[in-house]
C-alpha cells in the first residue's frame, strides 16, 4: 500500500496500479477493507485509463458497477 501511495504521489499511475494488484495478491483483506486502499484505488482510477487489475479491484471494493 505504501508503495502504491508513493507511486501515486509522483504521478506514476501504472506502477501505483501494479503495486495495488500485487498487494491484493499478498494481503487481499488489506486492500478490500482498508479505507486508505479504497482512496488509493479511486485516485488511480481517476487518473486515466485503468489497467485491468485496477479495474477489477475498483469493482471488488464497490467503486464501479
Amino acid at each position: 500500500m505504501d508503495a502504491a501511495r508513493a507511486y501515486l504521489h509522483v504521478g506514476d499511475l501504472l506502477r501505483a496500479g501494479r503495486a495495488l494488484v500485487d498487494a491484493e495478491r499478498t494481503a487481499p483483506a488489506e486492500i478490500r477493507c482498508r479505507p486508505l486502499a479504497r482512496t488509493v484505488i479511486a485516485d488511480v482510477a481517476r487518473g486515466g485509463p485503468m489497467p485491468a487489475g485496477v479495474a477489477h479491484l475498483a469493482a471488488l471494493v464497490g467503486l464501479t458497477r
Side-chain angles (χ1 to χ4, degrees), residues 30-62:
E30 287 290 311
I31 298 300
R32 295 177 187 174
C33 300
R34 287 184 69 196
L36 176 62
R38 292 175 52 86
T39 301
V40 174
I41 293 167
D43 290 346
V44 171
R46 268 183 265 160
M50 286 187 282
V54 176
H56 177 73
L57 290 176
L60 280 175
V61 299

